[in-house]
Amino acid sequence: MKPRPYLQIPGPTNIPETVLSELSKPPINHRGKEFEDIVEKCLNDLKEVFKTRNDVLLFPSSGSGVLESAVVNLFSPDDKVITSCIGVFSERMNTICEKFGLKTIKIKKVWGEAITPDDIEKILLEDVDKEIKGVFIPHNETTTGVTCDIDGISKVIKKLFHPALLIVDAISSLGCLPLETDMWDIDVVISASQKGLMLPPGLGVVSLNDKAWAMYEISTLSKWYWDYKMVKEKLLSFQMPYTPPTNLLFGLKESLSLLLEEELENVWNRHRLMASSVRAAIKALGLELLANEDISSDTVTAVLLPESISYSRLSSVLKEQYNITIGGGLSNLQGKIFRIGHMGSIHHLDICAIISGLEMALYELGHEFELGAGVREVQKTFLKIY
Ligand SMILES: *Cc1c(COP(=O)(O)O)cnc(C)c1O
């Protein structure tokens, strides 16, 4: 018999049993009262998870689709926007903006670094005529395991009385990392189902405030499938303009209940503790983290591969012997790092198991360290022994 699977890629993530059973129910009429009640509950609970009173819209889509939706709904060709390149996903956001004819001011950094409030302040200060229309920031760059200071960036925009919209990619942070849409005054927040929301891929979510709706009104890019107003109007009666992924909504209702039952602050703390135990374990095994600890993500940890061990060997030993799936490096980090996702449906003892499996795999591949040193750090973190 195989051990239970540990899906420790940074999304899709492990799905709780109760969510799985909701997903497997027979589909129902998406134009009937029973389904409308589910959509209504999901929208209300989503607002609590987004920490917002703004509109929240749903799309049958991957996360990237919803990133594109923000561009076509809120901007026009030749609009100036700030984008970044600190990993694959921030780079993708930049590509989407350019494909639609936006003029991007791209902040390029070494992968493993964060976009800081200072970076944004510097560019906005030079924009004396206030021509910049949008600031796109990845909350959590999943490629490198780096988290950006969204609150700080928002404060800089407000301090300068700059009118640019703040658009946050929260695909690998919503429901895991502290994210205060209204308190931090974020205009647009984008996320998707397969990471912190503990669902299969296929559902995208976006929240937007009145300032973003005002940009919608003047946007000239073409849109139909992604049209925010069309979707908002249909959602007023808890329907969608096209066939929604009914079963994903069954699952979403359950996963949102799980998050709200645990209480968001507890969910955030759980992620913070799990991540610090993983980082402590990695260091105890004599391995090096890609990112500095002050910006390192609490949902995914990127680890430099020791020179003698290839990603393909490490990942196949983990998969074949322990049924643990880890992530590799993307783009220019391919073959240089491995990534452990620790977001969503995952708890202290899972981290013990994953680190234990990692130790056994590293041992088998000839890496020198003291067996048990990583697991001990995980235990000490949870027992608060320092
Ligand atoms: C996963 C991810 C995406 C891409 O989402 P898809 O659902 O694969 O389109 C974009 N941005 C971030 C930060 C992500 O983690």
Side-chain angles (χ1 to χ4, degrees):
M1 196 170 82
K2 270 190 154 184
R4 59 150 278 206
Y6 288 89
L7 183 62
Q8 302 325 127
I9 52 175
T13 59
N14 299 291
I15 300 176
E17 294 287 334
T18 57
V19 175
L20 279 175
S21 79
E22 287 300 313
L23 290 167
S24 64
K25 287 187 171 164
I28 56 175
N29 175 17
H30 61 288
R31 302 276 178 225
K33 171 89 171 78
E34 196 187 344
F35 188 67
E36 287 164 6
D37 289 346
I38 292 172
V39 174
E40 180 175 13
K41 175 85 173 122
C42 285
L43 289 175
N44 287 334
D45 286 355
L46 271 173
K47 286 185 188 192
E48 286 195 43
V49 172
F50 272 80
K51 295 267 197 165
T52 189
R53 303 177 69 166
N54 300 332
D55 289 314
V56 172
L57 308 178
L58 290 167
F59 289 93
S61 169
S62 81
S64 303
V66 189
L67 295 178
E68 179 165 318
S69 81
V71 174
V72 300
N73 275 282
L74 307 173
F75 296 96
S76 305
D78 294 327
D79 277 355
K80 249 193 212 175
V81 294
I82 299 177
T83 59
S84 61
C85 178
I86 54 167
V88 164
F89 298 109
S90 44
E91 174 73 42
R92 178 177 302 176
M93 192 68 246
N94 175 77
T95 304
I96 297 170
C97 288
E98 289 182 351
K99 288 277 178 194
F100 286 95
L102 276 56
K103 298 264 182 297
T104 62
I105 303 165
K106 176 161 114 179
I107 307 171
K108 244 182 110 87
K109 291 201 165 184
V110 174
W111 288 17
E113 291 183 8
I115 300 301
T116 65
D118 280 351
D119 296 329
I120 301 302
E121 180 160 14
K122 222 181 282 163
I123 298 173
L124 292 183
L125 276 173
E126 282 170 18
D127 183 36
V128 283
D129 296 328
K130 296 199 166 36
E131 286 177 342
I132 293 170
K133 298 274 178 24
V135 180
F136 287 89
I137 305 287
H139 185 196
N140 187 74
E141 178 48 90
T142 319
T143 314
T144 56
V146 160
T147 301
C148 300
D149 174 9
I150 300 298
D151 186 23
I153 289 171
S154 182
K155 285 200 171 91
V156 158
I157 300 173
K158 270 71 200 188
K159 181 182 83 179
L160 300 176
F161 297 101
H162 199 290
L165 280 188
L166 175 58
I167 300 127
V168 172
D169 173 350
I171 295 175
S172 61
S173 61
L174 182 79
C176 308
L177 307 184
L179 178 66
E180 297 276 1
T181 302
D182 289 355
M183 225 159 67
W184 297 351
D185 208 353
I186 317 172
D187 303 306
V188 182
V189 175
I190 291 155
S191 200
S193 52
Q194 77 273 28
K195 302 193 184 177
L197 294 178
M198 310 178 286
L199 290 166
L203 194 65
V205 273
V206 56
S207 83
L208 69 162
N209 65 10
D210 289 344
K211 191 173 155 191
W213 280 115
M215 286 288 285
Y216 169 92
E217 291 300 334
I218 57 169
S219 155
T220 63
L221 280 165
S222 298
K223 47 209 156 259
W224 186 85
Y225 187 86
W226 298 122
D227 192 319
Y228 283 174
K229 203 167 196 174
M230 173 177 77
V231 172
K232 177 184 168 161
E233 278 167 8
K234 213 63 187 148
L235 281 174
L236 288 176
S237 51
F238 310 113
Q239 296 204 359
M240 290 174 87
Y242 20 66
T243 315
T246 43
N247 289 44
L248 278 177
L249 281 139
F250 301 165
L252 178 64
K253 182 173 163 225
E254 174 63 15
S255 69
L256 292 169
S257 296
L258 291 176
L259 285 173
L260 295 175
E261 241 166 62
E262 185 179 350
E263 293 182 8
L264 278 182
E265 280 71 10
N266 296 330
V267 173
W268 297 342
N269 281 333
R270 175 164 55 81
H271 281 85
R272 192 177 43 76
L273 260 184
M274 290 190 300
S276 46
S277 75
V278 168
R279 292 193 291 265
I282 292 299
K283 288 187 288 183
L285 300 180
L287 299 177
E288 215 181 312
L289 300 162
L290 174 71
N292 278 337
E293 287 210 51
D294 56 333
I295 53 167
S296 57
S297 162
D298 287 346
T299 60
V300 51
T301 297
V303 184
L304 299 178
L305 278 160
E307 251 167 48
S308 57
I309 296 174
S310 73
Y311 172 71
S312 62
R313 290 200 63 204
L314 178 62
S315 59
S316 62
V317 172
L318 279 169
K319 178 76 184 118
E320 277 155 32
Q321 318 241 28
Y322 308 108
N323 214 2
I324 297 172
T325 310
I326 56 167
L330 302 176
S331 187
N332 60 42
L333 288 172
Q334 197 176 356
K336 299 191 179 127
I337 60 166
F338 67 93
R339 293 178 302 155
I340 304 172
H342 32 81
M343 64 179 103
S345 177
I346 173 169
H347 299 87
H348 311 161
L349 282 175
D350 298 321
I351 301 287
C352 287
I354 294 156
I355 294 298
S356 176
L358 177 66
E359 287 192 14
M360 292 188 281
L362 287 168
Y363 181 84
E364 190 179 324
L365 294 171
H367 181 61
E368 280 185 26
F369 66 100
E370 185 197 342
L371 263 179
V375 173
R376 191 163 63 230
E377 290 303 316
V378 177
Q379 293 170 330
K380 280 164 68 181
T381 308
F382 290 121
L383 293 170
K384 300 193 163 60
I385 305 168
Y386 302 109

